[in-house]
Amino acid sequence: MVPETNVFDLNQLRRSCSSCALGELCLPAGIGHDDLDRLDTTVRDKRMLDRGGVLYRDGDPFAALYVVRSGSLKTFVQDEAGDVQVLGFHLPGEIIGFDALALNRHVSQAEALERSSICELPYARLQQVISEVPALHRQLMRVISREVIEEHRHLVMMGRQQAQEQLAIFLKSLADRYQRLQRDGIALSLPMSRYDIANYLGLVVETVSRLFSRLEEMGVLEVNRKAVRILRPDLLADLCRNNTAATKRHDTG
Amino acid sequence: MVPETNVFDLNQLRRSCSSCALGELCLPAGIGHDDLDRLDTTVRDKRMLDRGGVLYRDGDPFAALYVVRSGSLKTFVQDEAGDVQVLGFHLPGEIIGFDALALNRHVSQAEALERSSICELPYARLQQVISEVPALHRQLMRVISREVIEEHRHLVMMGRQQAQEQLAIFLKSLADRYQRLQRDGIALSLPMSRYDIANYLGLVVETVSRLFSRLEEMGVLEVNRKAVRILRPDLLADLCRNNTAATKRHDTG
DNA sequence: CGGTTAATTGATCGGCATCAAATATGGTGG
DNA sequence: CCACCATATTTGATGCCGATCAATTAACCG
């Protein structure tokens, strides 16, 4: 059975950017039909990762950027003491690996949260195609910029919000991203553990667990382990803006 | 007297990348002598900002990237409720404005902390030069990547560290950056307010003030308003790694 | 089905926010 | 140059949110 699924997956993977289901949700956004074929020649390798599989780890030499094709990954940094900070969760169409551009080696780790397939964009080849396709350069810059903005959101969430607001924002953001992928934005199946969520938000797992329970009591969610159903999207949205603690911490001189 | 300083400053500003004191600490790092002249043609405008002067604000159309030439700036986001999150402090040689690439408009604000001069790199012209000088493309990507990594550091600091460790890391980082600029890394003159520091770290101003006092009591610092002298760099470095709270919060599943 | 890990729930504690007030500073006008 | 005012900074007292410690229950995997 294992060989069979592998064969099936490999067939899936052989499809090019032109025929990929992600389409405009990925790097090809804004790229013309002709240039798309050239982008295809950039995608050399396509990899499958099982749950827990590592795409790159801290210290790995920089070889490529990676596009999540299906499944999901988390990225995180880990200091010498083993202390971890989750940086983000990455869904199909998202590009990761930019951290390695500065020093030509990765300074973070990327790990699959579930069985996932990855498009690999060897950087040398990508650079060459970029020099031929100016639109691709602009698009790539847009993608990096989006990553910068996303990290700003993460910072605001950790620095300014209460724990409950943080979780609400996290869930709403995840729901929105799934919906943009034409998937269910109401009945979520969280690919990451409570530990991952807690770490991402700068909280402990007990707090996150309690918050899920509280949101369920409030009638906002229906929680069943990984399965989370958003019963009241309106309330969830309210909670995201519920700046009850909008005081001193928010001023700046 | 005001006109005189302006004339003086303008003369200073007329100097090109080739003769700029920042040299390899800025974008020219790794750019050959010949290509440097071409980079010079990119730097169209050079601007002076007084303390509190705004370089760009949220919503401004994207026109250029900016290099801090002298002085310092802070960048921050501000939500509809007026709630602020300081994203970073930017010293000479650092490039800001990447946030605008995604949507062709800025989604943050940049403000001078003291009288500062700025090199403006109109993006249209920069793109053209980039297409002619591949080394510049790589260098620009490295710079963006450094910004991504810096934000990772910020996230780790806010998410994992105690308040005292956060301030220690902040001070050490600032000292290191000044030293790299050939400036005093011991006797610092903090250009930003306590409010800015507190906001950057996700704390309130009272906490930051108390921490400065505590570090002074411990003999690590000598604090006099903006003037901070690092008496014991060794102790400060210790405090940065003093993961006394390295427990649950750091695990991940 | 047993062993391991994930998740939940409860009780308690502590660090940082909040509230309050004093002091210092810097800019402005007289 | 000095008095004055607005603002920045410091210091103190108190309270609360989320961390910690502890234990139970549920899921997963062989």
Side-chain angles (χ1 to χ4, degrees):
Chain A
M1 176 184 156
V2 170
E4 286 171 26
T5 52
N6 271 349
V7 167
F8 173 76
D9 289 333
L10 283 173
N11 286 334
Q12 290 280 350
L13 289 176
R14 288 292 171 235
R15 300 199 296 181
S16 65
C17 288
S18 314
S19 62
C20 175
L22 285 171
E24 295 293 305
L25 293 171
C26 185
L27 199 56
I31 307 290
H33 194 286
D34 295 346
D35 291 332
L36 204 54
D37 292 339
R38 229 177 309 187
L39 176 59
D40 261 345
T41 70
T42 310
V43 183
R44 187 172 313 185
D45 257 326
K46 298 173 180 179
R47 292 165 62 171
M48 285 300 303
L49 289 176
D50 282 323
R51 181 173 189 279
V54 174
L55 183 58
Y56 55 80
R57 43 170 47 95
D58 194 340
D60 278 0
F62 175 46
L65 298 175
Y66 304 93
V67 183
V68 182
R69 184 186 172 84
S70 71
S72 54
L73 287 84
K74 67 174 172 181
T75 48
F76 60 93
V77 288
Q78 188 164 20
D79 66 18
E80 57 283 352
D83 198 6
V84 165
Q85 173 66 52
V86 172
L87 301 170
F89 304 107
H90 308 280
L91 304 188
E94 297 180 14
I95 306 183
I96 59 180
F98 294 115
D99 65 299
L101 282 160
L103 304 173
N104 274 316
R105 54 180 54 221
H106 289 279
V107 292
S108 65
Q109 182 160 332
E111 202 178 301
L113 294 167
E114 57 193 316
R115 190 166 172 77
S116 306
S117 71
I118 309 291
C119 292
E120 185 173 334
L121 309 176
Y123 193 58
R125 177 79 186 118
L126 185 61
Q127 267 192 323
Q128 189 185 334
V129 175
I130 281 174
S131 69
E132 297 165 6
V133 184
L136 188 59
H137 174 239
R138 281 196 297 278
Q139 175 60 13
L140 193 63
M141 294 295 268
R142 268 195 289 272
V143 170
I144 303 183
S145 181
R146 226 181 289 146
E147 164 137 353
V148 169
I149 294 173
E150 171 58 27
E151 283 175 359
H152 291 177
R153 276 171 36 85
H154 193 180
L155 279 168
V156 169
M157 196 168 58
M158 290 221 309
R160 306 257 76 74
Q161 312 291 152
Q162 304 269 102
Q164 179 176 287
E165 290 155 9
Q166 284 188 68
L167 185 60
I169 293 169
F170 167 73
L171 287 173
K172 179 157 172 25
S173 156
L174 206 61
D176 289 348
R177 286 157 73 194
Y178 275 127
Q179 204 146 44
R180 209 168 50 88
L181 289 171
Q182 317 289 346
R183 290 169 59 176
D184 196 334
I186 295 296
L188 307 177
S189 176
L190 307 183
M192 71 291 288
S193 72
R194 297 285 193 267
Y195 284 91
D196 286 332
I197 298 173
N199 188 292
Y200 174 75
L201 299 176
L203 303 169
V204 294
V205 67
E206 295 97 323
T207 302
V208 169
S209 181
R210 267 184 260 271
L211 287 172
F212 270 113
S213 302
R214 196 198 295 178
L215 291 178
E216 193 167 27
E217 284 169 26
M218 293 166 67
V220 179
L221 304 177
E222 186 180 83
V223 182
N224 225 295
R225 295 282 167 174
K226 307 274 191 199
V228 172
R229 168 177 288 271
I230 301 175
L231 299 177
R232 295 286 303 273
D234 55 330
L235 287 183
L236 187 65
D238 285 348
L239 290 174
C240 293
R241 281 170 191 74
N242 208 11
N243 277 344
T244 52
T247 56
K248 293 273 168 51
R249 191 153 85 203
H250 307 231
D251 298 336
T252 187
Chain B
M1 178 182 156
V2 171
E4 286 171 27
T5 52
N6 271 351
V7 168
F8 174 77
D9 289 333
L10 284 174
N11 285 336
Q12 290 281 350
L13 289 175
R14 289 291 172 235
R15 299 198 297 182
S16 66
C17 287
S18 312
S19 63
C20 175
L22 285 171
E24 294 293 307
L25 293 172
C26 185
L27 200 56
I31 307 292
H33 193 287
D34 295 345
D35 291 332
L36 204 53
D37 293 336
R38 226 175 315 184
L39 176 59
D40 264 343
T41 71
T42 310
V43 183
R44 188 173 312 185
D45 258 325
K46 297 172 181 182
R47 293 165 61 171
M48 285 300 303
L49 289 176
D50 282 324
R51 182 173 188 281
V54 174
L55 183 58
Y56 55 80
R57 43 171 46 94
D58 194 340
D60 278 0
F62 175 47
L65 298 175
Y66 304 94
V67 183
V68 183
R69 185 187 173 84
S70 72
S72 54
L73 287 84
K74 67 174 172 182
T75 47
F76 59 93
V77 288
Q78 189 166 19
D79 65 18
E80 57 282 352
D83 197 5
V84 166
Q85 172 66 51
V86 173
L87 301 169
F89 304 107
H90 309 279
L91 304 188
E94 295 179 15
I95 306 182
I96 58 179
F98 293 116
D99 64 299
L101 283 160
L103 304 173
N104 274 315
R105 54 180 53 220
H106 289 279
V107 292
S108 65
Q109 182 160 334
E111 201 179 301
L113 295 168
E114 57 192 316
R115 191 167 171 75
S116 305
S117 70
I118 309 292
C119 293
E120 185 173 335
L121 310 176
Y123 193 58
R125 177 80 187 115
L126 185 61
Q127 268 193 322
Q128 189 184 333
V129 175
I130 281 173
S131 69
E132 298 165 6
V133 184
L136 188 59
H137 174 239
R138 280 195 298 277
Q139 176 59 14
L140 194 63
M141 293 295 268
R142 268 195 290 271
V143 170
I144 303 184
S145 181
R146 227 181 286 143
E147 163 137 353
V148 169
I149 293 172
E150 172 57 27
E151 285 175 359
H152 290 178
R153 277 170 35 86
H154 193 180
L155 278 169
V156 169
M157 196 168 59
M158 291 220 308
R160 306 258 74 76
Q161 312 291 151
Q162 303 268 103
Q164 178 176 287
E165 290 154 9
Q166 284 188 70
L167 185 60
I169 293 170
F170 168 73
L171 287 173
K172 179 156 173 22
S173 156
L174 207 62
D176 289 347
R177 286 157 72 193
Y178 275 127
Q179 204 147 45
R180 212 168 48 89
L181 290 171
Q182 319 289 344
R183 291 170 59 178
D184 197 334
I186 295 296
L188 307 177
S189 176
L190 307 183
M192 70 293 288
S193 73
R194 297 283 193 269
Y195 284 90
D196 287 332
I197 298 174
N199 188 292
Y200 175 74
L201 299 177
L203 304 169
V204 293
V205 67
E206 296 96 323
T207 301
V208 168
S209 181
R210 269 183 258 270
L211 288 171
F212 271 113
S213 302
R214 195 199 295 178
L215 291 178
E216 194 167 27
E217 283 170 24
M218 292 166 67
V220 179
L221 305 177
E222 186 180 84
V223 182
N224 225 296
R225 297 279 169 174
K226 306 273 191 202
V228 172
R229 170 176 288 271
I230 301 175
L231 300 176
R232 295 285 304 272
D234 55 331
L235 285 182
L236 187 64
D238 284 349
L239 290 175
C240 294
R241 281 170 192 73
N242 208 12
N243 276 345
T244 52
T247 54
K248 293 271 169 53
R249 193 154 82 205
H250 307 232
D251 296 337
T252 185

